[in-house]
Amino acid sequence: GESVGLHLPTLSVQEGDNSIINCAYSNSASDYFIWYKQESGKGPQFIIDIRSNMDKRQGQRVTVLLNKTVKHLSLQIAATQPGDSAVYFCAEDHGGSYIPTFGRGTSLIVHP
Amino acid sequence: GAGVSQSPSNKVTEKGKDVELRCDPISGHTALYWYRQSLGQGLEFLIYFQGNSAPDKSGLPSDRFSAERTGGSVSTLTIQRTQQEDSAVYLCASSRTGGNYGYTFGSGTRLTVV
C-alpha cells in the first residue's frame, strides 16, 4: 500500500499468483478513482477506473474495489504475469476539481 | 494524434539555463495537465488547462515555472534559470473534458540539470 517512507512500498509475487495492491485516500469528497501502471521509462498507463457510486468494477484480469467507509481502494490482478511488473499508482479526483491527486505508488515485482 | 506526444524525451541542461518542454495532446482533448515526477516519487501536479479558461497554476513550485497552451492544443512548459532540484521527469496528460473521463499520459521528458 501507500507509504510515507523514502522508498516505494514493494510487493513481490510469483508468476500465476493473484496480487492485491492497496491504496488509502484522504479526501471524502473524492468521487472518481483511477489505477495507473507505470513501467520503467514510460508514462503512466490507465488500467481501470471506478466512480464513487460503485464499490467494485472488473476489467480484464483486474478488479478494483472501493470502500468509501474507510477510504480505501485496492487493485487485484489475477494470475499475475512477469509483464505486470511495474509501479502502480492510485489517483483520486476531488469532486469538481478535475485535478487528480496521485499516491506515491507501489512497486510490483513478479518472479517467474 | 493517437497519443500524447512529448518532446524532447531527454534534456540535459546547465544550471541557470532556460528550458522549454513541449506537449502535444490527443486531438479533441480539451483538458491538459503537467505533472512532475521525481525519482521514486509520485506525481506532483503543476498546472491544468481546460479549454479557453484561465489555467489553474496552483501547483507551480516557483515563478521560474510557466506554461502556455496555444490554440487549445499544444502546450509548452518553460523553466527559467534551471536549478538542480528541477531535475525530474515532466509528464503531460490530456483528458476529453477534464471531468472524470480518465487521463492519458505522454512518456514524459526527463530533465537533468547539471
Side-chain angles (χ1 to χ4, degrees):
Chain A
E2 302 296 320
S3 167
V4 295
L6 292 177
H7 302 287
L8 284 178
T10 299
L11 175 65
S12 291
V13 300
Q14 292 295 129
E15 182 178 2
D17 287 352
N18 295 333
S19 302
I20 300 176
I21 300 171
N22 296 303
C23 178
Y25 65 95
S26 56
N27 193 330
S28 57
S30 293
D31 57 5
Y32 180 58
F33 305 88
I34 317 159
W35 279 101
Y36 283 91
K37 171 186 180 183
Q38 187 176 29
E39 297 173 281
S40 181
K42 298 183 179 180
Q45 177 185 5
F46 173 90
I47 302 173
I48 192 168
D49 59 1
I50 189 168
R51 302 188 187 279
S52 58
N53 61 350
M54 302 172 70
D55 52 23
K56 180 179 180 179
R57 190 170 187 213
Q58 290 184 292
Q60 187 177 15
R61 283 202 305 120
V62 295
T63 301
V64 55
L65 298 178
L66 174 63
N67 186 330
K68 295 181 288 294
T69 302
V70 295
K71 291 186 284 198
H72 183 268
L73 195 66
S74 69
L75 177 70
Q76 301 178 1
I77 304 174
T80 316
Q81 303 167 1
D84 295 328
S85 294
V87 176
Y88 289 80
F89 292 95
C90 65
E92 59 179 301
D93 210 337
H94 310 309
S97 80
Y98 306 139
I99 299 174
T101 301
F102 287 79
R104 286 189 61 240
T106 295
S107 177
L108 175 65
I109 299 172
V110 182
H111 300 282
Chain B
V4 177
S5 178
Q6 292 189 246
S7 61
S9 55
N10 282 283
K11 176 72 176 179
V12 179
T13 190
E14 293 181 350
K15 178 181 174 182
K17 300 283 189 182
D18 298 352
V19 294
E20 285 189 352
L21 312 180
R22 177 188 167 104
C23 173
D24 200 343
I26 293 173
S27 178
H29 279 196
T30 60
L32 186 147
Y33 303 79
W34 283 98
Y35 283 83
R36 178 169 70 174
Q37 186 175 31
S38 300
L39 186 64
Q41 299 296 311
L43 280 68
E44 174 191 5
F45 166 73
L46 297 177
I47 188 168
Y48 161 51
F49 295 89
Q50 171 55 43
N52 296 320
S53 303
D56 183 328
K57 305 179 182 179
S58 60
L60 295 178
S62 77
D63 58 8
R64 296 187 295 106
F65 288 72
S66 63
E68 63 177 21
R69 188 178 185 193
T70 54
S73 181
V74 172
S75 176
T76 303
L77 177 69
T78 301
I79 308 173
Q80 296 178 309
R81 305 181 302 282
T82 51
Q83 304 294 314
Q84 287 185 329
E85 60 263 29
D86 299 334
S87 296
V89 175
Y90 289 82
L91 291 160
C92 176
S94 70
S95 175
R96 204 167 73 193
T97 66
N100 303 167
Y101 287 101
Y103 309 85
T104 303
F105 281 84
S107 296
T109 294
R110 180 174 297 278
L111 175 66
T112 304
V113 182
V114 298

